Amino acid sequence: MNKKIWAIVAMLGLMYIVFLQMDIEASPQIQEKELNLKQPNLTQQLAFIAFLNTIDDAHDTKLIAIRQHEATHIPLYNLQEIRKPTDFIIQQEIVEPQEKPDEVVREKKKIALTFDDGPHPVVTEKILAVLLQNDIKATFFVLGQNVGKYPQIVHQAAKQGHEIANHSWSHANFTKLSGTQITAELEQTNEAIYKASGKYPNLYRPPYGETNANVRGQTSMEAVMWSVDTMDWKHRTPEKTLAYVKEQVKDNGIILMHDIHSETADSLEAVINYLIEQDYEFVTASELLKLQS
């Protein structure tokens, strides 16, 4: 019984749609009527379905794109080339982003600040304070004998993120030492650095920059020289230290200073400000070597 009732309802509904379709086609007033897609009433829904059923299959490959501002009220006579109800797609108007010219990302120049012969109980502390204030990481090539005296300063420098490297135990000229003596100078300093910072160094700088095949053969650590010699140990004048930096600095450079002279600490702020103005980025010696390789 229920099946018969539903069959009758379906048949009546189909007849109503057919009659409504004929009425739409015959009446220009209905064709001019607008369909509210947001809140259509039942009559509008049935009329729209009836209209879709009249579409020729020859238009299967075509879809209508309805602009966003037209989506609320659309005249029925403008609905064309719709294949079936599932193909009726309301597409929001997509605003394609305008292509912008490729932004030129300029790579900053790199520079490494390095300090030899420390740590010093006063000067190194001042230098660490300036570096911390400017959020700059540097590399300290320390003497083992000084690390033994002031391990807490090395610990502080390492804790601030600075690199601690080997500069021998006693600042002896390696080219005048035997292989055994060179090894002892480096290994003793390595142990002192490890004890103070918790990490063994990967880099060393031979005192006075003096090296040869015999020196290089005594260690697997990488030797680091410099490209800017501030001569701060000699003139002890902050203005001259800055002048030497301005004269010699280049991209991927390594600046040599000494954290055992108060004048070096006094010159550091001006040196940093100048390098920032010249668009330099500060890196450690290890970071610079990786970039170069």
Side-chain angles (χ1 to χ4, degrees), residues 22 35 39 52-53 59 86 102 110-111 147-148 152 156 164 166 187 200 217 230 261 268:
M22 295 172 60
L35 175 65
Q39 295 180 333
L52 294 175
N53 289 334
H59 299 292
T86 55
D102 294 338
K110 303 295 191 296
I111 197 72
V147 176
Q152 73 280 4
Q156 178 185 349
I164 310 300
N166 193 319
E187 290 185 353
Y200 285 105
T230 62
H261 306 300
L268 186 56

Tab-separated table of all heavy atoms in Angstrom, residues 22 35 39 52-53 59 86 102 110-111 147-148 152 156 164 166 187 200 217 230 261 268:
chain	number	residue	atom	x	y	z
A	22	MET	N	6.310	23.681	-19.156
A	22	MET	CA	5.593	24.225	-20.310
A	22	MET	C	5.167	25.657	-20.033
A	22	MET	O	5.233	26.523	-20.904
A	22	MET	CB	4.373	23.343	-20.613
A	22	MET	CG	4.734	21.922	-21.057
A	22	MET	SD	3.291	20.829	-21.177
A	22	MET	CE	2.333	21.697	-22.404
A	35	LEU	N	15.558	34.199	-10.066
A	35	LEU	CA	15.654	33.079	-9.139
A	35	LEU	C	16.573	33.436	-7.981
A	35	LEU	O	17.725	33.788	-8.192
A	35	LEU	CB	16.209	31.839	-9.858
A	35	LEU	CG	16.476	30.614	-8.998
A	35	LEU	CD1	15.163	30.081	-8.431
A	35	LEU	CD2	17.158	29.528	-9.817
A	39	GLN	N	17.817	31.668	-1.101
A	39	GLN	CA	16.631	31.194	-0.397
A	39	GLN	C	15.499	30.948	-1.407
A	39	GLN	O	14.468	31.628	-1.406
A	39	GLN	CB	16.191	32.202	0.663
A	39	GLN	CG	17.195	32.374	1.797
A	39	GLN	CD	16.730	33.365	2.830
A	39	GLN	OE1	15.961	34.264	2.532
A	39	GLN	NE2	17.175	33.190	4.061
A	52	LEU	N	16.578	22.745	-16.133
A	52	LEU	CA	17.804	21.974	-16.358
A	52	LEU	C	17.543	20.740	-17.206
A	52	LEU	O	18.381	20.333	-18.011
A	52	LEU	CB	18.412	21.556	-15.011
A	52	LEU	CG	18.938	22.692	-14.136
A	52	LEU	CD1	19.394	22.138	-12.792
A	52	LEU	CD2	20.079	23.407	-14.815
A	53	ASN	N	16.368	20.147	-17.050
A	53	ASN	CA	16.054	18.936	-17.795
A	53	ASN	C	15.829	19.195	-19.268
A	53	ASN	O	15.772	18.253	-20.062
A	53	ASN	CB	14.811	18.261	-17.202
A	53	ASN	CG	15.118	17.640	-15.859
A	53	ASN	OD1	16.255	17.289	-15.588
A	53	ASN	ND2	14.096	17.502	-15.014
A	59	HIS	N	25.494	20.087	-25.139
A	59	HIS	CA	26.246	21.077	-24.372
A	59	HIS	C	26.971	20.441	-23.192
A	59	HIS	O	27.293	21.120	-22.228
A	59	HIS	CB	25.300	22.171	-23.862
A	59	HIS	CG	24.607	22.910	-24.950
A	59	HIS	ND1	25.252	23.747	-25.824
A	59	HIS	CD2	23.304	22.919	-25.323
A	59	HIS	CE1	24.379	24.270	-26.680
A	59	HIS	NE2	23.187	23.771	-26.404
A	86	THR	N	24.036	18.734	-11.224
A	86	THR	CA	25.319	18.593	-10.510
A	86	THR	C	26.414	19.431	-11.134
A	86	THR	O	27.463	19.619	-10.535
A	86	THR	CB	25.758	17.123	-10.495
A	86	THR	OG1	25.800	16.635	-11.836
A	86	THR	CG2	24.807	16.282	-9.667
A	102	ASP	N	60.249	39.685	-9.151
A	102	ASP	CA	61.032	38.929	-8.174
A	102	ASP	C	61.809	39.871	-7.281
A	102	ASP	O	62.544	40.743	-7.746
A	102	ASP	CB	62.006	37.980	-8.889
A	102	ASP	CG	61.256	36.899	-9.642
A	102	ASP	OD1	60.095	36.646	-9.268
A	102	ASP	OD2	61.822	36.335	-10.592
A	110	LYS	N	79.692	38.687	4.965
A	110	LYS	CA	80.012	37.987	6.203
A	110	LYS	C	81.366	38.460	6.750
A	110	LYS	O	82.292	38.759	5.986
A	110	LYS	CB	80.065	36.474	5.967
A	110	LYS	CG	78.782	35.879	5.395
A	110	LYS	CD	77.644	36.000	6.372
A	110	LYS	CE	76.437	35.184	5.929
A	110	LYS	NZ	75.856	35.652	4.664
A	111	ILE	N	81.432	38.512	8.076
A	111	ILE	CA	82.667	38.897	8.747
A	111	ILE	C	82.776	38.139	10.065
A	111	ILE	O	81.767	37.890	10.723
A	111	ILE	CB	82.725	40.423	8.995
A	111	ILE	CG1	84.153	40.874	9.313
A	111	ILE	CG2	81.755	40.851	10.072
A	111	ILE	CD1	85.079	40.857	8.135
A	147	VAL	N	93.685	30.074	30.113
A	147	VAL	CA	92.455	29.325	30.407
A	147	VAL	C	92.563	28.683	31.781
A	147	VAL	O	91.604	28.662	32.558
A	147	VAL	CB	92.208	28.244	29.336
A	147	VAL	CG1	90.985	27.408	29.711
A	147	VAL	CG2	92.016	28.877	27.964
A	148	GLY	N	93.767	28.181	32.090
A	148	GLY	CA	93.983	27.577	33.402
A	148	GLY	C	93.803	28.565	34.539
A	148	GLY	O	93.358	28.193	35.628
A	152	GLN	N	86.589	30.391	34.379
A	152	GLN	CA	85.212	30.870	34.454
A	152	GLN	C	84.873	31.819	33.317
A	152	GLN	O	83.720	31.881	32.855
A	152	GLN	CB	84.953	31.545	35.818
A	152	GLN	CG	85.596	32.904	36.020
A	152	GLN	CD	87.085	32.835	36.392
A	152	GLN	OE1	87.666	31.736	36.433
A	152	GLN	NE2	87.673	33.984	36.651
A	156	GLN	N	81.993	31.336	30.563
A	156	GLN	CA	81.006	32.372	30.265
A	156	GLN	C	80.913	32.632	28.766
A	156	GLN	O	79.819	32.758	28.212
A	156	GLN	CB	81.373	33.665	31.000
A	156	GLN	CG	80.425	34.831	30.711
A	156	GLN	CD	80.883	36.129	31.364
A	156	GLN	OE1	81.793	36.132	32.205
A	156	GLN	NE2	80.283	37.236	30.966
A	164	ILE	N	85.216	28.826	21.039
A	164	ILE	CA	86.502	28.808	21.735
A	164	ILE	C	87.462	27.955	20.911
A	164	ILE	O	87.176	26.799	20.599
A	164	ILE	CB	86.375	28.221	23.160
A	164	ILE	CG1	85.216	28.896	23.908
A	164	ILE	CG2	87.684	28.391	23.898
A	164	ILE	CD1	85.353	30.379	24.075
A	166	ASN	N	91.863	27.102	19.813
A	166	ASN	CA	93.189	26.881	20.393
A	166	ASN	C	94.219	27.861	19.814
A	166	ASN	O	94.310	28.037	18.600
A	166	ASN	CB	93.617	25.443	20.084
A	166	ASN	CG	94.813	24.986	20.896
A	166	ASN	OD1	95.761	25.721	21.107
A	166	ASN	ND2	94.762	23.735	21.342
A	187	GLU	N	97.589	19.936	22.614
A	187	GLU	CA	96.769	19.006	23.400
A	187	GLU	C	96.519	19.507	24.815
A	187	GLU	O	95.417	19.351	25.355
A	187	GLU	CB	97.429	17.625	23.427
A	187	GLU	CG	97.378	16.920	22.072
A	187	GLU	CD	97.928	15.506	22.141
A	187	GLU	OE1	98.472	15.137	23.217
A	187	GLU	OE2	97.804	14.769	21.145
A	200	TYR	N	85.616	20.237	23.128
A	200	TYR	CA	86.946	20.346	22.516
A	200	TYR	C	86.879	21.261	21.294
A	200	TYR	O	85.893	21.255	20.557
A	200	TYR	CB	87.452	18.968	22.087
A	200	TYR	CG	87.924	18.098	23.231
A	200	TYR	CD1	87.156	17.037	23.692
A	200	TYR	CD2	89.157	18.339	23.841
A	200	TYR	CE1	87.588	16.235	24.738
A	200	TYR	CE2	89.603	17.538	24.888
A	200	TYR	CZ	88.814	16.494	25.341
A	200	TYR	OH	89.245	15.707	26.376
A	217	GLY	N	101.317	19.071	10.247
A	217	GLY	CA	101.260	17.625	10.385
A	217	GLY	C	101.040	17.142	11.807
A	217	GLY	O	100.865	15.934	12.021
A	230	THR	N	94.320	44.367	12.738
A	230	THR	CA	94.076	45.698	13.310
A	230	THR	C	95.317	46.298	13.958
A	230	THR	O	95.328	47.498	14.277
A	230	THR	CB	92.975	45.621	14.378
A	230	THR	OG1	93.415	44.771	15.447
A	230	THR	CG2	91.678	45.095	13.784
A	261	HIS	N	94.068	43.791	25.742
A	261	HIS	CA	94.364	45.226	25.789
A	261	HIS	C	93.054	45.995	25.967
A	261	HIS	O	92.100	45.793	25.212
A	261	HIS	CB	95.070	45.696	24.515
A	261	HIS	CG	96.302	44.910	24.181
A	261	HIS	ND1	97.374	44.839	25.039
A	261	HIS	CD2	96.623	44.160	23.083
A	261	HIS	CE1	98.320	44.078	24.496
A	261	HIS	NE2	97.881	43.657	23.314
A	268	LEU	N	85.775	48.358	20.243
A	268	LEU	CA	84.897	47.340	19.674
A	268	LEU	C	83.542	47.892	19.242
A	268	LEU	O	83.032	47.527	18.167
A	268	LEU	CB	84.708	46.201	20.681
A	268	LEU	CG	83.931	44.992	20.174
A	268	LEU	CD1	84.574	44.417	18.916
A	268	LEU	CD2	83.851	43.930	21.266
